[in-house]
Amino acid sequence: MEPVDEQRRRPWVVGVSGASGTPYAAAVLRGLIAAGESVDLVVSRASRLTLLDETGIAFRDAHWREDLEEWLSRGADGKPRTFDVDVAGADLRHWAAGDLAAGPSSGSYPAKGMLIVPASTACVAGVALGLSKDLLQRAASVVLKERRPLVVAVRETPLNGQTLRHLVALDEAGAVVLPASPAFYAGATHIQDLVDFVAGRVLDAAGVPHRLYRRWKGELGGSRKD
């Protein structure tokens, strides 16, 4: 990888919280890398338990590149080496979830915005209330106060009134509330297609180009004709 110009580097901060749905995060990260975007990654403590449960991968701060490469290479069905992702060649930076002195904790850190994928209801509440109990929540609060894009891919069902009020608060603060709700008009034939649809909508909200799903063209049954 060529040396990164730190004066011009403006990453997307990607926060992974403890909700089920680590394949969504993997698909978004692959999309950002494929688009040549700089990425700062924050993996919460709770999400590491979810990642271990859903994939068998233990995400370790000291070995984050190897663990991330193994994670991103897996398909949504858990099959290893489904994707070939150049983690070593990508502009990636990892910040420990407990590091409140990290770059994204300050508004002067030049981030493009933040994508929380998936977002648990606890994470949603923490960001909506401005708790900043860890780096993920603090980075999201910073993005909101600096009026930068924040996409919150909430992954929970059903939603109670308290969480709905928190989501409304995030919407009113300028965030994009994006439920991890896959669609079927794109002609999904595999679990990966459903995951990629949600990931693609997250990237759409961030203005990042991708080819993760078939877009609607105004023709009924169009996906069945290809």
Side-chain angles (χ1 to χ4, degrees):
M1 184 177 71
E2 295 182 0
V4 177
D5 185 345
E6 292 294 340
Q7 295 299 318
R8 296 185 179 182
R9 185 178 188 272
R10 292 188 65 229
W12 284 100
V13 180
V14 176
V16 185
S17 80
S20 176
T22 54
Y24 292 128
V28 167
L29 288 165
R30 286 193 297 266
L32 290 170
I33 292 171
E37 295 284 347
S38 300
V39 176
D40 279 20
L41 179 62
V42 181
V43 181
S44 77
R45 291 187 176 92
S47 69
R48 297 175 195 226
L49 296 176
T50 306
L51 183 63
L52 182 63
D53 183 55
E54 293 183 347
T55 70
I57 297 171
F59 192 89
R60 303 161 294 175
D61 289 336
H63 303 279
W64 69 270
R65 280 193 183 273
E66 302 109 277
D67 297 337
L68 181 63
E69 185 167 9
E70 182 182 358
W71 177 20
L72 298 191
S73 72
R74 294 199 179 202
D77 58 1
K79 185 178 178 181
R81 295 182 293 280
T82 299
F83 297 97
D84 184 13
V85 184
D86 184 13
V87 170
D91 179 14
L92 293 166
R93 185 172 291 172
H94 167 260
W95 301 98
D99 185 4
L100 292 178
S105 68
S106 172
S108 65
Y109 187 75
K112 285 186 177 180
M114 185 172 184
L115 316 174
I116 306 179
V117 188
S120 66
T121 55
C123 173
V124 165
V127 176
L129 297 173
L131 299 182
S132 295
K133 75 178 185 66
D134 60 9
L135 179 59
L136 195 159
Q137 292 184 15
R138 172 59 186 168
S141 295
V142 167
V143 164
L144 286 177
K145 79 180 183 69
E146 297 294 329
R147 302 296 191 266
R148 296 168 184 162
L150 173 64
V151 182
V152 181
V154 60
R155 217 306 306 162
E156 184 59 273
T157 190
L159 296 171
N160 63 25
Q162 189 175 45
T163 297
L164 290 169
R165 286 188 285 273
H166 290 151
L167 291 172
V168 169
L170 289 177
D171 176 78
E172 291 175 343
V176 174
V177 175
L178 196 153
S181 177
F184 295 85
Y185 63 77
T189 59
H190 190 275
I191 186 175
Q192 190 66 55
D193 299 324
L194 299 175
V195 167
D196 285 348
F197 179 86
V198 172
R201 295 299 287 153
V202 171
L203 295 176
D204 286 345
V208 176
H210 66 88
R211 293 185 177 181
L212 286 176
Y213 70 89
R214 187 198 318 268
R215 297 185 182 277
W216 176 251
K217 297 180 180 179
E219 181 183 4
L220 292 177
S223 65
R224 295 193 298 274
K225 296 179 181 180
D226 294 342

